[in-house]
Amino acid sequence: MSKWQNDFVLPSGWAKATISEVIQPFQNSDPAKSERDSFHYIDINAIDNTLHRVTEPKFLPTDKAPSRARKMVRSGDVLISLVRPYLKNIAIVPQELDNQWASTAFCICRPHEGIDSRFLYYLYLHNDFLNTIPTYGDSPPSGHDDDLLATSIAIPPEKELSRIVDRIEELFTDLDAGIAALERVKRNLSRYRAAVLHAAVTGRLTEEWRKEHGPPEEPASELLERILEERRKQWEEKTLAGYEAKEKKPPKNWKVRYKEPVPPKPLEEGKPLPPLPQGWSWASLDQLADVTGGITKNTKQAGQPGMRDVAYLRVANVQRGYLDLTEIKFISAKEKDINELRLRQGDVLFTEGGDRDKLGRGWVWEEQIEECVHQNHVFRARPFLSEVNSELISHSGNSYGQVWFRTGGIQSVNLASISLGVIKYFPVPLAPSEEQDEIAFSVNEKLTQIDALESEVSRGLSRANRLRQAILKAAFEGKLVPQDPNDEPASVLLERIREQASKTPKTKRKTRKKSSRKAATT
């Protein structure tokens, strides 16, 4: 018996057998040598490892058959991948793919008469069973057919076996319906989150609030003027400090070197920015905040004089609407760079590169780590005035900004990126200061509710997965359906299979050669 059944007492009428004893021998074949012009090919990626179904087989001409397309399968065959990263790529070959080809990456299990394909299929989906399969090597780690086929399993009487798989499917159908309902709730919550953010940055969320409070004391246009004054002031202070550090006097007319901020850029070239509520104003990120890139990693400088290690944020840490700080890495940097790029409370972070749909995602730094900088693939925007709510800037980037960043990004072979120059043009809807506070409060309230509901949904999905495994555990321990003492014992079924197998010409099943590395199970 396999490890997961060490303490398992066989129910009455059950018997032991290896997997190889209950499946038929298998012979490889080459589709290019068949009389066909084309065929369907089931590779690893053709199987959805969540649904455990063949969903995307390839349709290929036989003269273009891949070297791995050597296993002609029949409907009802059970496919299982033993490559560790794809261990749950398990499926039953459907009727429409009868007499087509599968990859040699699969172990093909064609049960003898009396063994329902679904029995092996559900057995392979049992996590406890999968975890007993030894793997070899590390590129990637893989199991081998002969180990799987040598695994001893418990076989119930034929009629009980049918009752077991029918009951599993009945329970799984109900469970799948519940999971589908939870997934719908999850999608609806995601849409509701997007709607809340959109309402926040367009002014719809505080429409009633404006009616109650009337015109603002300081409209956003006046607030923007104060921000721009502060922007110039900070530039002048920084510039003078630079001259002082070098013990130099600033040249005559040095203030004319001040570079005015770029204006906000519309979502679509040639089209104006959409209208905003009365008292609001459009502003560019460059007008509202000091925008800069981060530290470039240079392993050659590590350990050099004047360098020290400091915590830093990578793209993986900066998610859409939150920061993932579960894994923080360190970078060697100069003291000057650490001082200049050290994150402060309220800094808004934007990702510079990655998949195109992830450009510009981010959230607000809240001093979670005492001393932390950011790498060059993460932009930092530091508002010039505290009256500019950092969260609203980030909400803008995480809502309509997704389209804006995709439009402004540059696509390379595998990754997309957005430049520092382009992100400065990002248009941010600026509300009056008091209304910004109301928006932030309302958004946080609603997002907290959404987070709580999403957590509940996630717990429900986790419970469903545990219940699915509990059903499988009960099934293969003989506890899922009642036993009938009148059922023909499994030993009789296995004897018929052995008799039939003895009359069938033997074919040698080709198995992969084991790695010399020590086997490990996970």
Side-chain angles (χ1 to χ4, degrees):
M1 300 294 285
S2 55
K3 293 179 182 178
W4 63 288
Q5 291 181 327
N6 274 345
D7 302 324
F8 177 56
V9 177
L10 281 177
S12 176
W14 289 45
K16 298 178 183 180
T18 62
I19 292 177
S20 63
E21 289 180 286
V22 298
I23 66 172
Q24 301 178 42
F26 191 89
Q27 183 70 42
N28 286 359
S29 67
D30 187 347
K33 296 179 180 179
S34 69
E35 297 180 356
R36 302 187 194 178
D37 295 325
S38 57
F39 70 102
H40 282 97
Y41 174 52
I42 306 170
D43 63 3
I44 290 289
N45 294 322
I47 294 182
D48 185 311
N49 62 8
T50 300
L51 297 175
H52 305 295
R53 300 286 187 273
V54 180
T55 55
E56 297 183 15
K58 296 177 181 177
F59 188 66
L60 303 172
T62 50
D63 60 352
K64 301 293 183 182
S67 60
R68 279 186 170 271
R70 292 295 181 270
K71 296 196 171 184
M72 178 185 253
V73 294
R74 298 176 190 166
S75 62
D77 286 354
V78 183
L79 311 180
I80 176 171
S81 163
L82 297 181
V83 180
R84 184 59 60 175
Y86 305 100
L87 199 57
K88 290 196 175 182
N89 287 46
I90 300 165
I92 296 178
V93 176
Q95 181 63 46
E96 61 270 21
L97 293 177
D98 186 50
N99 290 327
Q100 302 298 319
W101 272 267
S103 168
T104 54
F106 294 110
C107 178
I108 312 296
C109 297
R110 182 174 298 158
H112 278 289
E113 186 178 350
I115 304 294
D116 193 313
S117 294
R118 295 174 297 169
F119 184 79
L120 292 180
Y121 168 72
Y122 288 122
L123 174 70
Y124 296 161
L125 291 181
H126 193 339
N127 286 341
D128 289 349
F129 175 83
L130 287 176
N131 290 338
T132 67
I133 299 176
T135 56
Y136 306 85
D138 55 10
S139 57
S142 301
H144 296 292
D145 296 3
D146 50 2
D147 286 325
L148 175 71
L149 300 179
T151 302
S152 183
I153 60 175
I155 304 295
E158 184 176 354
K159 289 184 178 179
E160 185 177 345
L161 187 151
S162 296
R163 292 197 300 273
I164 287 172
V165 293
D166 287 343
R167 182 58 175 158
I168 290 175
E169 297 211 329
E170 180 184 352
L171 293 173
F172 276 19
T173 297
D174 293 340
L175 195 56
D176 288 342
I179 291 172
L182 288 173
E183 292 288 359
R184 284 195 297 272
V185 172
K186 189 176 180 179
R187 290 192 296 271
N188 288 337
L189 286 172
S190 179
R191 286 193 285 267
Y192 180 47
R193 182 186 293 274
V196 167
L197 296 184
H198 186 265
V201 299
T202 58
R204 289 175 54 197
L205 192 62
T206 45
E207 193 171 10
E208 293 301 318
W209 184 91
R210 286 193 299 275
K211 291 178 182 178
E212 292 177 6
H213 291 75
E217 293 183 7
E218 182 188 49
S221 57
E222 294 179 12
L223 173 59
L224 182 57
E225 288 179 9
R226 287 200 296 118
I227 294 170
L228 294 177
E229 289 174 4
E230 180 64 21
R231 184 184 191 275
R232 176 182 281 274
K233 177 185 173 184
Q234 290 185 19
W235 176 85
E236 291 178 356
E237 291 174 348
K238 185 177 180 180
T239 304
L240 285 175
Y243 284 121
E244 289 177 6
K246 296 177 182 178
E247 298 182 347
K248 291 183 178 181
K249 283 188 176 182
K252 191 176 182 180
N253 298 327
W254 63 275
K255 292 185 179 181
V256 300
R257 297 181 181 178
Y258 174 71
K259 191 174 181 180
E260 295 291 342
V262 298
K265 187 177 181 180
L267 297 173
E268 295 184 45
E269 197 70 41
K271 289 188 177 182
L273 289 163
L276 293 172
Q278 187 175 0
W280 288 41
S281 180
W282 283 105
S284 68
L285 189 61
D286 194 29
Q287 290 172 323
L288 300 179
D290 177 29
V291 189
T292 184
I295 290 178
T296 301
K297 192 170 185 178
N298 188 338
T299 54
K300 293 181 180 180
Q301 292 184 341
Q304 296 296 317
M307 307 288 287
R308 70 179 176 89
D309 288 346
V310 62
Y312 79 107
L313 295 188
R314 301 163 292 127
V315 170
N317 299 123
V318 183
Q319 298 296 317
R320 195 175 301 284
Y322 69 97
L323 300 179
D324 182 356
L325 304 180
T326 53
E327 183 183 8
I328 295 295
K329 295 191 176 181
F330 287 78
I331 191 170
S332 188
K334 297 177 181 177
E335 197 67 40
K336 176 177 176 292
D337 292 335
I338 294 174
N339 291 333
E340 287 184 358
L341 297 174
R342 179 176 175 175
L343 294 170
R344 299 179 190 169
Q345 176 77 31
D347 285 349
V348 186
L349 302 167
F350 296 87
T351 55
E352 172 264 350
D355 295 335
R356 202 169 187 85
D357 62 338
K358 295 179 177 62
L359 293 181
R361 74 181 182 193
W363 189 234
V364 180
W365 180 252
E366 296 173 329
E367 297 283 3
Q368 294 95 327
I369 300 173
E370 185 176 350
E371 185 179 61
C372 188
V373 297
H374 55 106
Q375 71 168 163
N376 59 313
H377 296 302
V378 175
F379 296 127
R380 182 210 73 199
R382 180 171 294 160
F384 293 112
L385 285 181
S386 60
E387 287 94 327
V388 177
N389 191 290
S390 299
E391 291 185 2
L392 297 188
I393 293 177
S394 192
H395 288 326
S396 297
N398 292 329
S399 54
Y400 69 87
Q402 295 185 55
V403 177
W404 194 91
F405 290 123
R406 284 201 298 268
T407 302
I410 299 172
Q411 182 72 49
S412 63
V413 177
N414 297 317
L415 299 174
S417 63
I418 191 163
S419 70
L420 180 63
V422 170
I423 201 173
K424 290 182 176 182
Y425 284 95
F426 178 59
V428 180
L430 182 65
S433 181
E434 289 185 5
E435 190 171 352
Q436 286 186 52
D437 294 339
E438 177 63 23
I439 294 170
F441 176 80
S442 297
V443 170
N444 288 337
E445 186 177 49
K446 293 182 183 301
L447 292 187
T448 299
Q449 295 170 352
I450 293 171
D451 288 341
L453 290 170
E454 287 180 334
S455 295
E456 188 59 38
V457 169
S458 295
R459 284 193 291 271
L461 292 172
S462 296
R463 285 194 296 269
N465 184 59
R466 290 194 299 271
L467 180 56
R468 190 184 300 275
Q469 288 299 314
I471 291 170
L472 293 177
K473 178 178 174 62
F476 295 107
E477 290 181 354
K479 300 175 182 178
L480 190 63
V481 298
Q483 291 185 283
D484 186 342
N486 296 317
D487 286 344
E488 181 183 77
S491 58
V492 178
L493 168 63
L494 292 175
E495 185 57 38
R496 281 202 304 271
I497 290 174
R498 293 188 189 102
E499 185 179 348
Q500 180 62 37
S502 67
K503 298 177 182 178
T504 304
K506 293 186 177 180
T507 58
K508 187 176 181 181
R509 178 183 285 266
K510 187 176 181 180
T511 58
R512 290 182 291 275
K513 185 178 180 181
K514 293 183 183 179
S515 166
S516 59
R517 295 178 183 270
K518 186 178 179 181
T521 57
T522 59

